[in-house]
Amino acid sequence: MSEITDFDALRRALAENSEEPEGPARNARAEQLLAEAEKLNVPLAVIEALGHQLKVYNYSSEKDKMFVPFARLLRLWDERPEDFDEYEAHSLHWVFKWMSAGMLDQPHIPLASIEKWLGEMEHRYRLAGYSERAVRSAELSVAAHIGDLPRAERAYAAWLAADRDRMADCHACELHAQGVWQVRCGRDAEALRLWRPVLEGEFACAHEPHTVLASSLAPLLRLGRTEDARAHHLRGVRLVRPMESMRGAYADHVEFCALTGNEARGLELLAERPAYFTDTGHPRSRLDFMAVVALLMDRLTELGLGGQRVPGPAGRTWTARELGAHARAEATDLAERFDRRNGTSAVGDRIRARMAGRPLVERLPLGVRTVRTAPAPAVAPPAPDLPGEPGVAALLAEARRLSDTLQPHALEAWAALARAVPDGAGLEPRGRAEIADHEAMARGPEGLPLFDRAAVLYAEAGDPGEALAARARGAYVRALAGEVDAALAAVTGLYDEVLALYADEGTGMRQTASVVMSRARILMRRVHEAAARGAEREAGQAVGDAEASVREVLALVEGRGGDDVRLAARAAEARAMLAELAGLTGDAERAAELFRRAADGYVTAGLPWFAVEYEVQVAALAHQAGDPAGAERALRAALEHGGPYVEPVGRAQLHLQLAEVLGGRDAPAEAAEHALEAAHWADEAGESGTLGAWARQQLGGFLLRRGRYAEAAEVLESALADLSAETHGDGLVVQARWWLGDCLGELGEHRAAAEQRLRAAELARHWPDQQDHATLAHLAAESLGSAGLDEEADRAYARAGELWRALGNAPFLVRSLRARAWLALGGERGAEPARALMAEAVREGEAALAAGGADREELVAELGGTHRQFAELLARSASEEAEDTAIRAAFEAALEQMTRAVAVFADLGAAGLHSRTGAELGAGWLEADLGRPARAAARARAVLAVYEGTDDADETVRARREEAAQMLEAAREGTEPEEG
């Protein structure tokens, strides 16, 4: 760290420290710089160092330290105001406002002292000629804090009535404070109306929209605007995360998590800021923080997670219950200190209400990964509508009702009955048979013996057809376990028996259809098994056998079911089997039609949840056929019909598929909604790191397309924590990093953008097609240049240039060379290397044009642009030349390049008109710089002639005419004009 030897060095050091992150390190450096300033024996140096120290204290967790430098500054002002320059005099009065707020935030400062200071502020502002606007704003803060609402209302009205002057807070800060007062008065909608210009970017400052985004969260939730609340959380937490001084705003985000079922996200936020538990320099924000910590811990305890380990103050481990008690005690103690100072209960009332807050949304999906703190609620079967506790008879009746109508949760109902009557004690054989049958269905291959037991009991109950059906179901389970031949042999005998029994009217259609369907299912398994082995001849035979069997099912049940939904379901399933077979034989169109008819059959029968599987098949076939609208219709139907009956992982998949279809149809807003739902349901299913990461990656891309860069960055960073080339493929990872780099670039985080683009490029460097590798290297170079890392940017551009050359992409090769030329000019290498690189860019452009590239118009435009940039570079580099003759030579060379640009752009005709006139005017200014006003005037007139009769509504036309007129005026005066 260099020693401060003069005032200029001090000012440079102060400016550098201002750019450092908020925190103790910056504060300590400010203290060192004050000590260095005092050695210079320059009064203004001490004043500036004190002002800097006061500023960094104010924007840190050590706000309590700012009173000392301010008191010293005020004494210096009172003793020798002439030592202050205009800026420091203004700054001194400006920070009066900080002192008012700062005193209010420290409970050990008496209220009388605060009121006295408010009067001092008013007096000094009046003497300095400032309006009372800032004073009344400060008075509102005092009155609202102590709960004197009538005085607060008067101060608010006086604040708005007073003139805005140099002491008024910026528009963004004023609107934030006005909205906070509206929220205090219960007018959430009015607060959001006031905040709109800040939220939309019309007004901003170093700490806005940061605090407005945080303050808006609870009002948005109360108004039911959950999508906006989610967006403000993702956007806002990203802004306040790196700023130590924003503990109060950070607390709003933790509270939001506690009120929206995102307790795990709240714990993550606490873990990111451990110092917030213990920093004591700003008691008021600590009070708010501890209050929301208590709220969050209470929510976890209510969810049965009081014993869970949570992040808390350093030095020990904490459970949620323990941290909740600690935070509540801390918040209560702090509130009591404020109330004792104020002589009211206002602070305590507010904090108690905040700690007692109740969730405003059961769970609001955020898109970022959050581990669920409580298990997802299972969709319970509807309880039987019976008085009192259901007995065995009622349980049996309900299980049969659910089974006979193919309702979800039928197996659960039979399991409940089995628990109520172990071993079927007290039930007739029929009831015991049904219990065994359904337990076998639930257990899969392990339940095979139970199918035989059920068959015995069905026979004992006098139902030989159902006994055959039970054995046929067992045979199908054997086929599912891989024993297809044995299963087919078993079901063939059962098939013969049931047909004979049905012909003799010894059983009904339902039992017969069950056996025939089991045989068809087993034959379908044989088809799939043969196809999997690649046995084409065997598969062809199997397809024929299966199709004949499926058609037999249809012939048996179609149109004969009446009110029996089981038979209607058999017909729908049979059509779906025919659809599968059509697909296997290459008839996709017929397959899609049959799947649609199968789905319609289930819906018509009142069994829409069974239609989901086939609507997904329709969607897949529509996608293959290039019919995105058809795919969208099918997926929407699947979501509608699946309702709550689809498992979370299935719902995630459906939403994600629909999101991708909508994204492809250029509907990113709705696509983002479905990607968000997909991420939510993936988390519910415990698939956060697999399906959830994929959904988040897609969501981030859709948010990027909508220009919601901060939200997209949060989501993509969350996705990248789980995305891996091994699980998801390197293409998905590269795309996520690419998108994240785009977001960070838009947010001005150029160094971070470069890192993401370089990491993506490193993955893409191994791909056979190097287009993406080259593009990412070029984008990384742009980010590095924007971040001021010129050497790194030059290397990245050089790498990109080599790739563009290998790909034969002349336009981008030329652009990379031009970029390197500008970097060289601005860096240590100077003008000569810059000119050499630009000359190389010209040669590459000319060579590509001569070779007859595929897009001649693009190549011509690129060459013209290179000549123009070469001219600009030469003119700019002339200032580095030592002698007038060299400077004039540089301008002559620049004029030559600009003249070439005019000629090249002219080759484009109407398409190059604006580019040509821009270069013509550039040449005119160079003529003027070389002392040739007549030639400059001639070029200006040529531009005016080109645009004669052209509509002035075109902004470029208007700008060209204005510049040409300015050039003519300068030429007439015979003076060296300044470019406008």
mmCIF file of all heavy atoms in Angstrom, residues 301-319:
data_model
loop_
_atom_site.group_PDB
_atom_site.id
_atom_site.type_symbol
_atom_site.label_atom_id
_atom_site.label_comp_id
_atom_site.label_asym_id
_atom_site.label_seq_id
_atom_site.Cartn_x
_atom_site.Cartn_y
_atom_site.Cartn_z
ATOM 1 N N THR A 301 -40.545 -24.853 13.795
ATOM 2 C CA THR A 301 -41.004 -25.613 14.962
ATOM 3 C C THR A 301 -42.435 -26.092 14.757
ATOM 4 O O THR A 301 -42.769 -27.237 15.089
ATOM 5 C CB THR A 301 -40.888 -24.741 16.222
ATOM 6 O OG1 THR A 301 -39.525 -24.327 16.380
ATOM 7 C CG2 THR A 301 -41.314 -25.510 17.459
ATOM 8 N N GLU A 302 -43.293 -25.232 14.189
ATOM 9 C CA GLU A 302 -44.675 -25.638 13.893
ATOM 10 C C GLU A 302 -44.711 -26.813 12.924
ATOM 11 O O GLU A 302 -45.613 -27.655 12.983
ATOM 12 C CB GLU A 302 -45.447 -24.465 13.283
ATOM 13 C CG GLU A 302 -45.811 -23.373 14.263
ATOM 14 C CD GLU A 302 -46.521 -22.227 13.558
ATOM 15 O OE1 GLU A 302 -47.196 -22.489 12.535
ATOM 16 O OE2 GLU A 302 -46.404 -21.084 14.017
ATOM 17 N N LEU A 303 -43.750 -26.875 12.027
ATOM 18 C CA LEU A 303 -43.697 -27.970 11.052
ATOM 19 C C LEU A 303 -43.081 -29.239 11.637
ATOM 20 O O LEU A 303 -42.864 -30.209 10.914
ATOM 21 C CB LEU A 303 -42.892 -27.532 9.823
ATOM 22 C CG LEU A 303 -43.527 -26.421 8.969
ATOM 23 C CD1 LEU A 303 -42.527 -25.894 7.951
ATOM 24 C CD2 LEU A 303 -44.781 -26.936 8.263
ATOM 25 N N GLY A 304 -42.803 -29.238 12.920
ATOM 26 C CA GLY A 304 -42.225 -30.412 13.562
ATOM 27 C C GLY A 304 -40.729 -30.508 13.417
ATOM 28 O O GLY A 304 -40.144 -31.584 13.594
ATOM 29 N N LEU A 305 -40.071 -29.369 13.104
ATOM 30 C CA LEU A 305 -38.641 -29.377 12.855
ATOM 31 C C LEU A 305 -37.883 -28.541 13.884
ATOM 32 O O LEU A 305 -36.813 -27.996 13.600
ATOM 33 C CB LEU A 305 -38.355 -28.845 11.445
ATOM 34 C CG LEU A 305 -38.984 -29.668 10.315
ATOM 35 C CD1 LEU A 305 -38.900 -28.911 8.996
ATOM 36 C CD2 LEU A 305 -38.314 -31.023 10.192
ATOM 37 N N GLY A 306 -38.430 -28.453 15.080
ATOM 38 C CA GLY A 306 -37.786 -27.663 16.121
ATOM 39 C C GLY A 306 -36.403 -28.161 16.487
ATOM 40 O O GLY A 306 -35.557 -27.393 16.943
ATOM 41 N N GLY A 307 -36.156 -29.454 16.281
ATOM 42 C CA GLY A 307 -34.846 -30.013 16.611
ATOM 43 C C GLY A 307 -33.844 -29.959 15.483
ATOM 44 O O GLY A 307 -32.703 -30.405 15.645
ATOM 45 N N GLN A 308 -34.241 -29.423 14.338
ATOM 46 C CA GLN A 308 -33.327 -29.364 13.190
ATOM 47 C C GLN A 308 -32.220 -28.351 13.444
ATOM 48 O O GLN A 308 -32.437 -27.277 13.987
ATOM 49 C CB GLN A 308 -34.108 -28.957 11.933
ATOM 50 C CG GLN A 308 -33.241 -28.779 10.700
ATOM 51 C CD GLN A 308 -34.067 -28.463 9.458
ATOM 52 O OE1 GLN A 308 -35.084 -29.090 9.223
ATOM 53 N NE2 GLN A 308 -33.627 -27.490 8.678
ATOM 54 N N ARG A 309 -30.988 -28.691 13.013
ATOM 55 C CA ARG A 309 -29.868 -27.758 13.149
ATOM 56 C C ARG A 309 -30.029 -26.631 12.135
ATOM 57 O O ARG A 309 -30.389 -26.856 10.980
ATOM 58 C CB ARG A 309 -28.534 -28.467 12.929
ATOM 59 C CG ARG A 309 -28.130 -29.350 14.102
ATOM 60 C CD ARG A 309 -26.734 -29.914 13.914
ATOM 61 N NE ARG A 309 -25.733 -28.860 13.805
ATOM 62 C CZ ARG A 309 -24.418 -29.083 13.735
ATOM 63 N NH1 ARG A 309 -23.956 -30.332 13.760
ATOM 64 N NH2 ARG A 309 -23.567 -28.081 13.635
ATOM 65 N N VAL A 310 -29.746 -25.406 12.590
ATOM 66 C CA VAL A 310 -29.929 -24.231 11.742
ATOM 67 C C VAL A 310 -28.723 -23.310 11.908
ATOM 68 O O VAL A 310 -28.017 -23.368 12.917
ATOM 69 C CB VAL A 310 -31.225 -23.465 12.117
ATOM 70 C CG1 VAL A 310 -32.450 -24.294 11.827
ATOM 71 C CG2 VAL A 310 -31.190 -23.036 13.588
ATOM 72 N N PRO A 311 -28.475 -22.440 10.914
ATOM 73 C CA PRO A 311 -27.378 -21.466 11.057
ATOM 74 C C PRO A 311 -27.748 -20.399 12.072
ATOM 75 O O PRO A 311 -28.886 -19.915 12.104
ATOM 76 C CB PRO A 311 -27.250 -20.878 9.647
ATOM 77 C CG PRO A 311 -28.568 -21.113 9.002
ATOM 78 C CD PRO A 311 -29.122 -22.371 9.594
ATOM 79 N N GLY A 312 -26.797 -20.032 12.925
ATOM 80 C CA GLY A 312 -27.050 -19.019 13.947
ATOM 81 C C GLY A 312 -25.768 -18.328 14.333
ATOM 82 O O GLY A 312 -24.743 -18.448 13.639
ATOM 83 N N PRO A 313 -25.785 -17.584 15.423
ATOM 84 C CA PRO A 313 -24.570 -16.896 15.873
ATOM 85 C C PRO A 313 -23.420 -17.870 16.062
ATOM 86 O O PRO A 313 -23.611 -18.997 16.528
ATOM 87 C CB PRO A 313 -24.999 -16.275 17.209
ATOM 88 C CG PRO A 313 -26.493 -16.149 17.107
ATOM 89 C CD PRO A 313 -26.947 -17.307 16.291
ATOM 90 N N ALA A 314 -22.203 -17.429 15.697
ATOM 91 C CA ALA A 314 -21.034 -18.293 15.764
ATOM 92 C C ALA A 314 -20.719 -18.659 17.209
ATOM 93 O O ALA A 314 -21.094 -17.959 18.151
ATOM 94 C CB ALA A 314 -19.842 -17.585 15.120
ATOM 95 N N GLY A 315 -20.021 -19.776 17.368
ATOM 96 C CA GLY A 315 -19.563 -20.180 18.687
ATOM 97 C C GLY A 315 -20.271 -21.385 19.253
ATOM 98 O O GLY A 315 -19.827 -21.957 20.262
ATOM 99 N N ARG A 316 -21.374 -21.803 18.640
ATOM 100 C CA ARG A 316 -22.096 -22.985 19.101
ATOM 101 C C ARG A 316 -23.026 -23.464 17.996
ATOM 102 O O ARG A 316 -23.198 -22.798 16.979
ATOM 103 C CB ARG A 316 -22.910 -22.672 20.365
ATOM 104 C CG ARG A 316 -23.912 -21.523 20.189
ATOM 105 C CD ARG A 316 -24.983 -21.513 21.256
ATOM 106 N NE ARG A 316 -25.917 -22.610 21.075
ATOM 107 C CZ ARG A 316 -27.028 -22.758 21.814
ATOM 108 N NH1 ARG A 316 -27.289 -21.900 22.783
ATOM 109 N NH2 ARG A 316 -27.847 -23.768 21.602
ATOM 110 N N THR A 317 -23.583 -24.636 18.190
ATOM 111 C CA THR A 317 -24.590 -25.140 17.252
ATOM 112 C C THR A 317 -25.969 -24.784 17.784
ATOM 113 O O THR A 317 -26.172 -24.639 18.996
ATOM 114 C CB THR A 317 -24.475 -26.664 17.090
ATOM 115 O OG1 THR A 317 -24.628 -27.290 18.366
ATOM 116 C CG2 THR A 317 -23.120 -27.036 16.497
ATOM 117 N N TRP A 318 -26.910 -24.648 16.858
ATOM 118 C CA TRP A 318 -28.265 -24.214 17.211
ATOM 119 C C TRP A 318 -29.295 -25.144 16.579
ATOM 120 O O TRP A 318 -29.139 -25.570 15.434
ATOM 121 C CB TRP A 318 -28.526 -22.801 16.695
ATOM 122 C CG TRP A 318 -27.665 -21.742 17.276
ATOM 123 C CD1 TRP A 318 -26.435 -21.345 16.839
ATOM 124 C CD2 TRP A 318 -27.966 -20.934 18.416
ATOM 125 N NE1 TRP A 318 -25.947 -20.336 17.620
ATOM 126 C CE2 TRP A 318 -26.861 -20.049 18.607
ATOM 127 C CE3 TRP A 318 -29.048 -20.857 19.298
ATOM 128 C CZ2 TRP A 318 -26.823 -19.118 19.631
ATOM 129 C CZ3 TRP A 318 -29.002 -19.918 20.314
ATOM 130 C CH2 TRP A 318 -27.914 -19.063 20.493
ATOM 131 N N THR A 319 -30.356 -25.409 17.328
ATOM 132 C CA THR A 319 -31.547 -26.011 16.738
ATOM 133 C C THR A 319 -32.522 -24.881 16.448
ATOM 134 O O THR A 319 -32.386 -23.764 16.971
ATOM 135 C CB THR A 319 -32.205 -27.024 17.674
ATOM 136 O OG1 THR A 319 -32.702 -26.326 18.845
ATOM 137 C CG2 THR A 319 -31.223 -28.109 18.098
#
